Amino acid sequence: MKYKIHAICILGVMLMFLSSCASNDNKSSEEIHLTEKQEEDLMEQYVENMECYYDEYLPNVWAASCKIFGVERENDTNIGYVYAYVLEVEYVNFKDTAYEQSGGYVPAKIKIEFDDSNIKYLDSEYPEDGEAYQDSMKELFPSKYYSR
């Protein structure tokens, strides 16, 4: 009988802990959606400061697009985060033809600032490589976006 009471008490404490963690997540941020224009502007800003290793020899440009899993805005602030997979590609121009030179498809946590209906790119975070990849993905992405 004592075992059942202890098990019920432990289960109750665990449920209270889990529910408080879930409610704290909801209080710290709100989920929002970006317009197509905001998404395009964000990707333009994302590649704006990327290094072009061939600009000394060939004209080049970076381009990016993304698959957004979610956007959250911290309550009572103008700071938010975009959770997405970003396709980034560098093209070079050689004899009037564009050639893909470099790029990748990476998960990213993009920090943004809201200014009325505009957004400003601030920074990006990426998961670690190798064995640390899964753990760092879980740290970067909230569970509702990680599972997507």
Side-chain angles (χ1 to χ4, degrees):
M1 184 68 164
K2 284 184 180 180
Y3 174 74
K4 289 182 181 180
I5 292 172
H6 288 281
I8 291 171
C9 289
I10 290 173
L11 182 61
V13 169
M14 289 174 55
L15 288 173
M16 286 190 308
F17 175 74
L18 291 173
S19 67
S20 70
C21 289
S23 66
N24 284 341
D25 263 354
N26 293 336
K27 291 179 183 176
S28 65
S29 62
E30 64 175 300
E31 187 172 352
I32 59 170
H33 299 279
L34 297 182
T35 66
E36 190 174 320
K37 174 146 178 35
Q38 287 174 322
E39 189 177 322
E40 289 173 6
D41 290 346
L42 177 61
M43 289 297 95
E44 286 177 16
Q45 294 174 49
Y46 179 88
V47 296
E48 195 170 86
N49 293 318
M50 295 187 90
E51 292 184 44
C52 293
Y53 299 106
Y54 309 100
D55 58 353
E56 192 175 323
Y57 310 104
L58 296 169
N60 57 49
V61 65
W62 277 94
S65 65
C66 66
K67 164 114 175 95
I68 295 178
F69 297 109
V71 181
E72 292 183 343
R73 181 177 183 160
E74 293 177 354
N75 287 339
D76 303 325
T77 71
N78 61 345
I79 300 298
Y81 297 94
V82 176
Y83 301 96
Y85 262 93
V86 178
L87 173 63
E88 50 190 48
V89 183
E90 179 185 22
Y91 293 96
V92 295
N93 182 349
F94 181 69
K95 295 186 179 181
D96 294 328
T97 303
Y99 294 95
E100 186 177 320
Q101 191 62 34
S102 179
Y105 189 56
V106 295
K109 177 182 178 181
I110 304 170
K111 186 176 183 180
I112 59 175
E113 179 180 20
F114 293 93
D115 181 19
D116 295 324
S117 64
N118 299 318
I119 59 173
K120 178 181 176 188
Y121 169 84
L122 298 176
D123 194 22
S124 295
E125 293 181 67
Y126 308 97
E128 296 179 39
D129 290 336
E131 292 180 15
Y133 180 82
Q134 288 299 327
D135 290 337
S136 63
M137 277 291 292
K138 289 178 182 176
E139 287 178 26
L140 282 178
F141 281 58
S143 60
K144 61 185 170 185
Y145 304 132
Y146 173 79
S147 62
R148 291 184 190 170

